[in-house]
């Protein structure tokens, strides 16, 4: 009796968003046919009491050119309790995965890629979770994702084909999702010696602090403190010496075994230095090369390691950006023509003919008193995403956009809130501790890559950086004219009509990864090109 839900995708996106939670409950309250329930009981008997993950596998999801990374649900189950309890949890999870085909994000994505009328069919994978029981928890020693192509390198010496590995201790969820206040380890398989952070202080600061696990006692997915996990159960984690180093306040020490580590007292840091002494990186690189050759295109994979074996969990075509070539940047640009300069983690590309800026003021955002108002800023961005000229506006604001966790560290948005923008610029102010995480490899970043939405972090407090914050704060704010109901947020969200504020000019962003340099500058509008783009 669910035939009517197929019309859901043709509704207004706001209506879809509003109705989706109720739709999930409708799916969960439906009954599976007896034949399916019998098959699931047989599967649970075969699996035993090992934790499982229920994953999506749809016709659209893994096709080349439209990679639905993270669009549909994946749900971890402790798989403990009576057979009836385990079956109930499994059918509940399967229903929720099916229902996620009608969520607002995948529907918006299908509209963007001309796939709305395609009849999406969903298969379900039930996988045993890789890992070991550690106290009350179940987790792999480490897990993550790897990509054939590195779309956004942190060093001029790293080539696109050097690829990237993104991994964390525990479950790989923190490697594929963007989290608000934590960091994965990044390695380029082709240049493993070139790490993102080099000084001991940077390595410690930008190391993984929390780990995702399955709590077998509470039967729930849980995030725990990594240092506490090591103190309590470090001896039970296989090959922990591959993952950790110790920090004495000045230097990092990389133990060859746990005999040289006092897990109860030492300051333990997740660096994966020990893993680099094994053949792990070479193995991942070989896997990527073999799979890329077989697929005939770059791939991304998910993997997990239980301390004994490396498991390939998934492989699919990698999202690819278009037109990402180095752009020559003029020397000695007059400051009155500049909006900003950047010189860290710059990728390639040209973003021309920008007519509007959506600027979320970092200080005003941080001063918002409650969680609901922070969420409202994300909704405002989503509304502006619909109203402003497509691909002719950029988003600028604090911290890490689109991450799960503490949204005070970044604006709470999803793909459907930003998909019409030309560029996302994250502002890292030192006083606010907003240091944009290098998001390469997350589902959020893959959405940007595939949609050719450029990404750039700005570090205004760097000595040689330029940031014309005065222009962003003093230019006339169009928010009230566009969204009268949100006029009270005018101090937080500023919408700047660039031609109106500059006497007819537009913004261009030039990006050159070879020079690790980018500039945003005001130029005279090319009327012919603007007309063609319109």
């Amino acid at each position: 009796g669910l035939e009517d839900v197929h019309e859901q995708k043709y509704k207004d996106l706001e209506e879809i968003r509003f109705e989706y939670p109720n739709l999930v409950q409708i799916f969960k309250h439906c009954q599976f046919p007896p034949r399916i329930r019998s098959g699931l009981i047989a599967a649970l008997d075969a699996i035993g009491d090992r934790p499982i993950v229920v994953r999506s596998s749809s016709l659209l999801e893994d096709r080349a050119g439209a990679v639905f990374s993270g669009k549909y649900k994946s749900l971890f189950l402790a798989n403990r309790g009576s057979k009836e309890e385990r079956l109930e949890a499994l059918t509940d999870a399967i229903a929720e995965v099916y229902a996620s085909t009608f969520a607002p994000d995948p529907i918006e994505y299908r509209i963007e890629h001309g796939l709305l009328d395609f009849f999406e069919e969903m298969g379900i994978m039930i996988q045993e979770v890789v890992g070991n029981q550690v106290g009350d928890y179940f987790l792999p020693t480490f897990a993550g994702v790897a990509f054939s192509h590195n779309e956004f390198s942190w060093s001029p010496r790293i080539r696109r084909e050097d690829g990237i590995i993104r991994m964390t201790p525990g479950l790989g969820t923190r490697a594929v999702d963007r989290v608000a206040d934590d960091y994965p380890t990044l390695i380029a398989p082709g240049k493993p010696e070139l790490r993102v952070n080099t000084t001991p202080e940077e390595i410690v600061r930008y190391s993984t602090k929390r780990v995702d696990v399955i709590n077998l006692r509470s039967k729930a997915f849980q995030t725990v403190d990594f240092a506490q996990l090591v103190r309590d159960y470090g001896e039970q984690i296989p090959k922990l010496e591959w993952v950790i180093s110790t920090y004495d306040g000045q230097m990092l020490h990389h133990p060859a075994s746990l005999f040289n580590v006092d897990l109860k007292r030492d300051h333990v840091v997740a660096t994966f230095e020990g893993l680099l002494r094994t053949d792990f990186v070479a193995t991942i690189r070989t896997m990527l090369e073999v799979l890329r050759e077989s697929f005939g295109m770059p791939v991304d994979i998910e993997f997990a390691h239980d301390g004994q074996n490396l498991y390939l969990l998934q492989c699919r075509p990698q999202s690819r950006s278009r037109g990402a070539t180095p752009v020559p940047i003029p020397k000695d640009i007059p400051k009155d023509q500049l909006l900003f300069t950047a010189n860290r983690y710059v990728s390639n590309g040209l973003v021309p003919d920008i007519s509007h800026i959506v600027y979320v003021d970092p200080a005003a955002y941080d001063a918002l008193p409650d969680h609901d108002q922070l969420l409202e800023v994300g909704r405002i961005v989503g509304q502006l995403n619909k109203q402003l000229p497509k691909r002719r506006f950029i988003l600028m604001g604090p911290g890490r956009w689109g991450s799960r966790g503490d949204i005070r560290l970044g604006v709470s948005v999803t793909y459907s809130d930003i998909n019409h923008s030309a560029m996302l610029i994250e502002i890292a102010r030192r006083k606010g501790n907003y240091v944009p995480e290098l998001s390469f490899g997350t589902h959020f970043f893959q959405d940007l890559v595939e949609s050719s939405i450029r990404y750039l972090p700005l570090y205004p407090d760097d000595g040689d950086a330029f940031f014309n914050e005065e222009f962003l704060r003093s230019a006339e704010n169009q928010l009230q004219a566009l969204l009268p109901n949100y006029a009270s947020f005018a101090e937080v969200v500023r919408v700047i009509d660039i031609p109106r504020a500059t006497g007819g000019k537009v913004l261009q962003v030039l990006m050159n990864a070879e020079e690790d340099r980018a500039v945003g500058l005001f130029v005279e509008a090319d009327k012919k090109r603007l007309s063609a783009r319109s």
Side-chain angles (χ1 to χ4, degrees):
L2 292 172
E3 292 86 355
D4 290 347
V5 302
H6 287 294
E7 299 304 311
Q8 194 76 8
K9 62 189 180 184
Y10 296 113
K11 294 181 178 179
D12 178 77
L13 200 64
E14 284 306 308
E15 191 176 0
I16 293 170
R17 199 184 303 275
F18 177 77
E19 293 179 359
Y20 176 60
N22 183 55
L23 194 69
V24 173
Q25 294 308 311
I26 291 173
F27 268 73
K28 287 187 173 186
H29 284 98
C30 291
Q31 292 298 311
F32 281 78
R35 181 178 61 84
I36 297 294
R37 290 177 66 89
S38 297
L40 294 176
I41 290 170
L44 289 174
D45 286 342
I47 292 169
D49 64 355
R50 286 185 66 86
I52 55 178
V53 58
V54 180
R55 306 182 62 159
S56 63
S57 179
S58 81
L59 287 184
L60 288 177
E61 189 170 6
D62 298 326
R63 69 198 297 246
V67 183
F68 282 59
S69 303
K71 293 293 181 292
Y72 299 137
K73 286 288 185 76
S74 291
L75 298 168
F76 287 90
L77 304 176
N79 194 28
R80 294 295 168 94
S82 67
K83 183 176 288 189
E84 189 56 38
E85 288 173 332
R86 292 161 59 212
L87 177 63
E88 199 60 36
L90 178 56
T91 54
D92 218 43
I94 292 171
E96 189 168 343
V97 173
Y98 276 127
S100 68
T101 60
F102 301 99
D105 246 29
I107 288 175
E108 178 77 358
Y109 188 90
R110 290 171 66 178
I111 293 169
E112 281 282 298
H113 291 79
L115 297 170
L116 191 62
D117 293 327
F118 191 98
F119 186 68
E120 174 70 303
E121 294 188 272
M122 176 63 75
I124 300 289
M125 292 189 294
I126 302 171
Q127 291 182 321
E128 294 183 26
V129 179
V130 172
N132 302 282
Q133 182 169 348
V134 176
D136 288 334
Y137 306 127
F138 192 93
L139 66 153
T141 301
F142 62 91
V145 291
F147 297 80
S148 299
H149 279 182
N150 190 335
E151 295 285 350
F152 185 28
S153 66
W154 53 89
S155 167
R157 290 169 56 195
I158 293 176
R159 302 168 302 162
R160 195 163 178 255
E161 55 269 28
D162 285 327
I164 183 169
I165 301 169
R166 178 184 172 94
M167 60 188 174
T168 63
L171 296 172
T173 42
R174 298 179 80 80
V176 298
D177 289 333
R178 207 173 192 221
V179 289
D181 54 353
D182 210 0
Y183 303 87
T185 294
L186 300 176
I187 296 171
K191 297 282 193 309
E193 72 280 3
L194 296 178
R195 303 297 291 271
V196 178
N197 303 300
T198 54
T199 68
E201 294 79 9
E202 285 179 332
I203 293 169
V204 171
R205 183 177 181 184
Y206 300 122
S207 64
T208 300
K209 306 297 192 303
R210 279 172 285 284
V211 180
D212 286 346
V213 301
I214 298 171
N215 188 319
L216 298 175
R217 185 183 293 271
S218 66
K219 305 176 189 175
F221 179 89
Q222 185 178 340
T223 301
V224 299
D225 182 80
F226 177 64
Q228 189 63 51
L229 179 73
V230 170
R231 280 193 292 272
D232 293 343
Y233 304 114
E235 296 90 347
Q236 300 178 34
I237 302 175
K239 295 297 181 183
L240 181 64
E241 64 270 20
W242 287 355
V243 177
I244 63 169
S245 299
T246 59
Y247 183 56
D248 62 10
Q250 293 183 315
M251 298 290 293
L252 281 163
H253 305 278
H254 313 302
S257 74
L258 296 185
F259 291 117
N260 304 319
V261 183
D262 186 338
L263 296 177
K264 301 290 185 185
R265 294 184 175 84
D266 286 345
H267 183 177
V268 172
V269 182
T271 65
F272 288 96
E273 285 297 327
L275 189 64
L276 293 183
R277 300 181 195 140
T278 72
D279 61 358
F280 168 77
V281 173
T283 301
I284 290 288
R285 191 174 187 189
T286 300
M287 289 169 69
L288 290 172
E289 288 173 354
V290 170
L291 290 165
R292 181 183 59 194
E293 185 176 336
S294 299
F295 272 62
M297 62 186 68
V299 297
D300 79 64
I301 64 172
E302 294 181 19
F303 63 86
H305 204 298
D306 62 4
Q308 183 174 358
N309 295 305
L310 173 64
Y311 292 84
L312 174 65
L313 306 179
Q314 175 176 288
C315 177
R316 61 176 154 211
Q318 182 180 348
S319 303
R320 288 172 289 179
S321 62
R322 298 177 292 277
T325 56
V327 178
I329 298 177
K331 306 291 185 185
D332 303 320
I333 302 170
K335 281 198 172 181
D336 61 357
Q337 292 182 22
L338 281 175
L339 178 62
F340 63 79
T341 64
N343 52 14
R344 293 169 67 178
Y345 314 128
V346 175
S347 55
N348 289 319
L350 168 67
V351 186
D353 307 328
I354 298 302
S355 63
H356 290 79
I357 299 170
V358 176
Y359 176 61
V360 179
D361 186 285
Y365 182 81
D366 190 48
L368 288 173
D370 60 61
H371 188 263
D372 287 342
Q373 287 180 298
L374 294 169
L375 287 175
E376 203 73 358
V377 172
R379 296 188 190 104
I380 292 171
V381 171
Q383 292 292 320
L384 293 170
N385 183 61
K386 294 178 181 177
Q387 292 203 27
L388 293 173
K390 186 175 181 181
R391 290 291 190 265
R392 292 196 52 212
F393 69 94
I394 65 171
L395 304 169
M396 303 180 70
R400 299 176 221 166
W401 293 49
S403 57
R404 63 179 172 97
D406 184 0
I407 64 172
R408 192 167 291 280
L409 298 177
V411 181
S412 177
V413 291
T414 64
Y415 172 78
S416 61
D417 295 317
I418 66 169
N419 64 316
H420 291 164
S421 65
M423 186 173 199
L424 172 62
I425 298 177
E426 295 183 327
I427 301 168
R429 299 310 305 241
R430 191 173 300 141
K431 63 181 180 181
N433 200 29
Y434 293 130
V435 181
E437 178 219 349
L438 299 171
S439 58
F440 339 118
T442 62
H443 291 327
F444 185 78
F445 184 70
Q446 292 305 305
D447 283 342
L448 301 186
V449 168
E450 191 168 285
S451 301
S452 294
I453 299 172
R454 302 298 179 207
Y455 169 79
L456 183 70
L458 284 189
Y459 298 83
D461 300 315
D462 282 0
D464 53 354
F466 177 80
F467 182 50
N468 191 351
E469 194 169 24
E470 176 61 26
F471 172 81
L472 296 170
R473 287 183 169 171
S474 62
E476 183 182 353
N477 189 354
Q478 303 294 315
L479 179 66
Q480 184 170 353
L482 291 167
L483 300 175
N485 293 340
Y486 291 107
S488 61
F489 282 83
E491 291 300 312
V492 183
V493 182
R494 304 187 59 80
V495 184
I496 300 164
D497 183 324
I498 298 170
R500 187 167 180 165
T502 61
K505 293 182 179 180
V506 293
L507 180 72
Q508 272 192 0
V509 181
L510 315 179
M511 304 169 68
N512 190 313
E514 294 175 2
E515 299 178 7
D516 207 16
R517 186 166 170 242
V519 299
L521 68 160
F522 300 114
V523 298
E524 295 296 333
D526 184 330
K527 300 294 194 298
K528 290 181 180 178
R529 189 166 66 223
L530 286 177
S531 176
R533 284 169 64 88
S534 300

